[in-house]
Amino acid sequence: MDSSPLPTAWRPTGAGTSTSRIRATTASRSSTRTALSSPRGGGYGSGIGQFSSPYGVATDGSGNVYVADTYNRRIQKFDTSGSFLTAWGSEGSGDGQFIGPDAVATDGSGNVYVADAGNHRIQKFDASGTFLTAWGSYGSGDGQFVYPSGVATDGDGNVYVADWGSNRIQKFTCP
C-alpha cells in the first residue's frame, strides 16, 4: 500500500454559522487543522482573515487559497502557509463589487473567477484582485443567470457556471 501523503482539501467549515473557519484536511480525514490565519485568529467577523459565511474556496497553481467571503462581500487571498495576503471587493453592483460572492475558481494563467450570485454575473480578476471583466445578467437566456452558485475552469480555457436558479450548467470560452 502506498504510504505517500494524500492530497489536502480546503473547505469552508461552519458556513453560515458562528464558526466560519477554513480548515485543511487530508483526503483520508486523518488530520485536520485550521488552515488560514490572521491577526484576529480567523473565525466569524469582518476583520482580516475573518469570515462571514465563506461559501467558496479555490487554490491556484502556486498553492494560494482564495475564499469567497460571502456576507462580507469580498474575496480573501492567503498564501500556502495560510497567512493573509490581500482582499478585494465591497458591497454593490459595480466592477469589483459583490452581492453574494458564492464561488471562486482559478485558471492556469492565475486569473480568478467569482460567481456573484446576487448580481447574477461572473467577474474575472487577476491574481492580485484587479478587475478584468464581467459577464451575465438576470435571466434564463444564454449568458444569463439566476443566482450562479458555482464556477470552475478547465485546462482548455473554458469556464463552467452552475446556475442554481435555472437548474443548468453553462460553458463559456474564457473571455
Side-chain angles (χ1 to χ4, degrees):
M1 176 180 241
D2 182 8
S3 62
S4 62
L6 294 171
T8 298
W10 296 88
R11 69 178 181 92
T13 60
T17 70
S18 62
T19 58
S20 292
R21 295 185 187 276
I22 303 295
R23 297 187 185 274
T25 60
T26 62
S28 68
R29 292 188 176 188
S30 62
S31 83
T32 301
R33 64 181 172 84
T34 299
L36 306 180
S37 61
S38 74
R40 297 183 185 199
Y44 177 79
S46 60
I48 292 172
Q50 293 182 312
F51 308 105
S52 181
S53 295
Y55 282 4
V57 64
T59 58
D60 65 17
S62 299
N64 295 309
V65 179
Y66 299 83
V67 179
D69 188 4
T70 302
Y71 292 133
N72 282 324
R73 314 303 198 247
R74 66 185 177 188
I75 301 300
Q76 293 195 66
K77 180 180 178 180
F78 300 85
D79 68 15
T80 57
S81 67
S83 296
F84 176 82
L85 294 174
T86 191
W88 67 86
S90 61
E91 185 170 2
S93 57
D95 293 345
Q97 294 183 311
F98 306 108
I99 300 177
D102 279 3
V104 62
T106 62
D107 67 17
S109 299
N111 296 306
V112 180
Y113 299 85
V114 179
D116 185 7
N119 281 318
H120 311 285
R121 66 183 177 183
I122 302 300
Q123 294 194 67
K124 180 180 176 181
F125 301 88
D126 69 15
S128 64
T130 300
F131 174 83
L132 299 174
T133 192
W135 71 92
S137 61
Y138 181 83
S140 58
D142 290 343
Q144 294 183 311
F145 308 107
V146 181
Y147 302 108
S149 60
V151 63
T153 62
D154 67 19
D156 293 327
N158 297 303
V159 178
Y160 299 84
V161 179
D163 188 1
W164 179 82
S166 295
N167 297 303
R168 65 183 176 169
I169 307 297
Q170 292 191 65
K171 177 182 176 182
F172 300 91
T173 301
C174 190

